[in-house]
Amino acid sequence: MEEQSELRLELADEEWPMANIDHDRTIVRAIVTDGSRSFYFVRVKRDDAFGACTVLETSGGGVEEGESLTDALRRELSEELGVEVDILCRIGVVSDYYNLIHRHNINHYYLCRVTAFGSPHRTEDEIEQFHLSTVKLTFEDALREYEHCRSSRLGRLIANRETVILKRAKELLASGKEVEAL
């Protein structure tokens, strides 16, 4: 198949003033779909330094020391969504900032297809602090939900990052040019 160019985006945090950035975080995230073209996300309900809000977000998280990006991705998807996946392709990298917590995020995005459903194995923080739940949406419903999330400052940061990625994933799926499992 024809090779697809990966997206490379750098997004500023225009919600909070920048004082300093004191750490980078390498993160893996996935646009997860199934054979019927439904998409799977996590809904996060939080009340912390970012404020009280409920947001939609792609599943994923930090890469642990010594862990490959794809191993981290498979672990995060199993923990948060309870799924096993084929990783179809890399979508790209979004570099963004959370000025409030002085962090630079390097988000590595992949397009994945579910091969098996199971039970999530969420961490205590994901259950107690973030109240994670799995959400299955159509492409159009996901875009609407991201727009709704823009009512909060954190929601705007996430939606700015993820709507571009979701639209690119939709293009890849529609074109049939996504590569077979990595």
Side-chain angles (χ1 to χ4, degrees):
M1 293 197 165
E2 178 182 324
E3 188 173 321
Q4 297 293 306
S5 62
E6 291 183 14
L7 288 178
R8 298 273 181 205
L9 301 173
E10 181 147 350
L11 303 173
D13 177 349
E14 297 178 358
E15 301 299 323
W16 286 275
M18 166 140 13
N20 69 311
I21 299 299
D22 61 20
H23 63 289
D24 294 335
R25 184 170 188 222
T26 301
I27 299 169
V28 290
R29 297 188 173 283
I31 299 293
V32 178
T33 187
D34 60 23
S36 66
R37 303 290 199 227
S38 291
F39 294 89
Y40 297 83
F41 302 89
V42 290
R43 181 167 287 125
V44 183
K45 294 180 184 178
R46 55 192 300 159
D47 188 358
D48 55 18
F50 290 103
C53 62
T54 300
V55 295
L56 183 70
E57 195 165 13
T58 53
S59 185
V63 178
E64 296 174 1
E65 189 166 333
E67 193 175 38
S68 73
L69 294 176
T70 55
D71 286 346
L73 184 66
R74 291 180 194 285
R75 175 183 52 76
E76 288 288 346
L77 295 178
S78 175
E79 287 174 5
E80 292 183 359
L81 297 176
V83 297
E84 293 179 23
V85 298
D86 282 338
I87 300 172
L88 302 177
C89 64
R90 281 179 52 101
I91 298 172
V93 177
V94 178
S95 174
D96 69 345
Y97 297 84
Y98 286 178
N99 293 343
L100 186 65
I101 58 172
H102 312 286
R103 188 170 81 197
H104 172 224
N105 302 308
I106 303 119
N107 299 281
H108 298 264
Y109 280 91
Y110 292 84
L111 177 58
C112 299
R113 182 176 44 238
V114 174
T115 58
F117 289 94
S119 297
H121 306 286
R122 297 182 178 126
T123 66
E124 186 176 327
D125 282 350
E126 290 169 338
I127 295 167
E128 299 296 324
Q129 288 186 326
F130 302 120
H131 310 282
L132 254 61
S133 59
T134 301
V135 182
K136 178 182 175 181
L137 299 168
T138 65
F139 173 80
E140 293 79 13
D141 287 341
L143 287 180
R144 276 192 288 279
E145 180 123 2
Y146 277 121
E147 285 307 309
H148 177 73
C149 290
R150 288 183 185 276
S151 63
S152 72
R153 295 166 90 182
L154 180 61
R156 282 189 291 276
L157 289 177
I158 293 168
N160 289 344
R161 177 182 76 218
E162 300 208 335
T163 54
V164 173
I165 294 295
L166 180 60
K167 289 175 183 177
R168 178 65 174 142
K170 174 83 168 164
E171 290 170 5
L172 289 167
L173 290 166
S175 73
K177 293 181 181 176
E178 75 270 15
V179 295
E180 284 308 308
L182 297 174

